[in-house]
Amino acid sequence: GQVTHVRIELDDVAADAGAWAASGRVGLVAGRPLRLTGELDWTVRADPALAGTLRAHGDLGTLDLAAELCRPVAASATVTLTDLDTALRWQAQVESTGVDLSPWVATPQVGPLTVRLHGQGSLQEFELNGTASGEGLPDGGLAIEGRLVHEGNALSADPLQLATQDGGTVVTTRGRLVLGDDPGLELRSEWTGLAWPLAGTPAVSSRRGWLELNGWNGFAFNLDAAVSTPAVPETSVTATGQLDSSGITVLQSTLSGAIGRARAKGHLGFGAARPWSLETAVEGLDLSAFRPGLDSDLTFGLEGSGTGLGPGADWAARVRGVHGQLRGHDLAGGAFVIAQSAAVADSAGRRERGDFRSS
């Protein structure tokens, strides 16, 4: 670098704070106020890691920044800092197109996305608002509003809210993200009018509910929601379990509604094979909720496992301890069913064995 009585130019500056690191060039020019210029490459140590560039030009009264995120997605931001020598304030515009969520989600169901945000505040606390739109999101996209608090290596949302333009879906999240050597995420999301997929005809709808997540590479979760599908009336669901990149494991759950009551646990793997297992105990099942005329009050246990979902899947299931009434008749018995695809069996098909008694 170069140092004179009016100018300091450092051509090779480096800093490492554990959670982040930066290196590049910085220049200072004496005056009132002190003028600043610089170009830095920066990284944030997370999983996945963040990396980008930062260019600065201005003085201690007003400093303009141009930032780019290069990895794992591309984004750009313009930031204006004011009152650097007293009480730092800032405002920023962030825009990113073609955002791919695959670095964080194994098989994202939305995206690529276009995200536009405006933020303002201090280093310790700031507010943001904006929009996200793209494939898999409702027409008009999602409105984003939030208040974030930064302390050390932690960033807290208090709260962060996503909503459709018509207000039919609102998701409010409060939580804490910790980066560095011991990263972690704690959050609680509450919602009204949530549906999946977010765009088009929903396969699953939830009038209300909440979800808690804790962890980093893997998460423990707690769920309480009212859930319905086109074929199943609204059912109250509670569940606890674990979630990671390989799949979701339900350690304990209860379901209660017009269709009856159940306790269940199981696993669903992600990826091409989609391995799954299920163990449940059902009480008071009323089949008329699925098909009028099938009035029933049935109790039974069900165990099953397989790979894949839908036609062509390979699976086996056992129904045991069936007792109750179907269309006014007493029913008791059990069954064992195996379904195999052509890739597994010489001839594709289903084999069934059962013993039911009706009176």
Side-chain angles (χ1 to χ4, degrees), residues 7 27 66 79 86 107 126-127 201 205 210 250 264 290 297 306 340:
R7 182 186 299 271
V79 183
T86 54
T107 54
F126 55 95
E127 299 177 350
T201 302
S205 300
W210 58 263
V250 177
F290 302 98
D297 183 2
Q340 291 181 313

Side-chain angles (χ1 to χ4, degrees), residues 3-241:
V3 179
T4 70
H5 67 288
V6 295
R7 182 186 299 271
I8 299 176
E9 293 184 359
L10 302 177
D11 297 327
D12 188 9
V13 176
D16 192 327
W20 60 269
S23 62
R25 178 186 63 83
V26 175
L28 303 175
V29 179
R32 294 183 179 274
L34 181 68
R35 295 189 59 80
L36 307 172
T37 60
E39 296 181 4
L40 296 174
D41 296 322
W42 57 266
T43 59
V44 175
R45 296 184 176 97
D47 186 14
L50 308 179
T53 62
L54 177 67
R55 292 178 174 84
H57 179 77
D59 54 47
L60 293 183
T62 301
L63 183 65
D64 294 321
L65 305 176
E68 292 186 1
L69 175 64
C70 304
R71 190 175 72 242
V73 298
S76 62
T78 58
V79 183
T80 299
L81 306 180
T82 60
D83 299 327
L84 278 74
D85 55 346
T86 54
L88 174 65
R89 303 287 299 176
W90 63 269
Q91 56 180 334
Q93 299 285 346
V94 179
E95 181 169 345
S96 180
T97 59
V99 176
D100 179 8
L101 301 181
S102 59
W104 296 277
V105 181
T107 54
Q109 302 299 307
V110 298
L113 303 178
T114 296
V115 179
R116 295 182 175 89
L117 295 173
H118 170 77
Q120 61 182 8
S122 66
L123 291 179
Q124 291 74 39
E125 181 179 327
F126 55 95
E127 299 177 350
L128 60 86
N129 60 77
T131 61
S133 59
E135 185 176 345
L137 295 183
D139 292 341
L142 297 175
I144 304 170
E145 293 186 7
R147 175 179 176 271
L148 303 178
V149 177
H150 174 255
E151 183 178 3
N153 291 340
L155 184 65
S156 300
D158 188 26
L160 177 64
Q161 186 175 91
L162 306 178
T164 54
Q165 296 298 325
D166 62 4
T169 299
V170 178
V171 180
T172 303
T173 299
R174 290 176 168 82
R176 188 168 184 260
L177 171 65
V178 178
L179 301 175
D181 295 334
D182 188 20
L185 175 67
E186 300 177 1
L187 66 80
R188 176 185 172 97
S189 290
E190 301 177 357
W191 62 81
T192 57
L194 187 61
W196 189 261
L198 297 173
T201 302
V204 180
S205 300
S206 179
R207 178 177 54 84
R208 59 88 193 156
W210 58 263
L211 172 68
E212 293 178 343
L213 283 176
N214 294 277
W216 188 247
N217 294 321
F219 297 91
F221 70 84
N222 289 282
L223 170 72
D224 188 325
V227 180
S228 62
T229 74
V232 180
E234 185 172 277
T235 301
S236 177
V237 179
T238 64
T240 62

Side-chain angles (χ1 to χ4, degrees), residues 255 261-265 278-282 300-303 320:
L255 300 88
R261 303 170 303 282
R263 301 184 307 277
K265 60 182 180 180
L278 174 68
E279 181 178 339
T280 181
V282 179
F300 59 90
L302 172 65
E303 299 173 355
R320 52 181 172 74

Side-chain angles (χ1 to χ4, degrees), residues 334-356:
F336 181 70
V337 182
I338 298 177
Q340 291 181 313
S341 66
V344 176
D346 293 335
S347 59
R350 178 180 299 180
R351 300 197 297 273
E352 304 177 0
R353 184 175 74 244
D355 177 21
F356 283 93

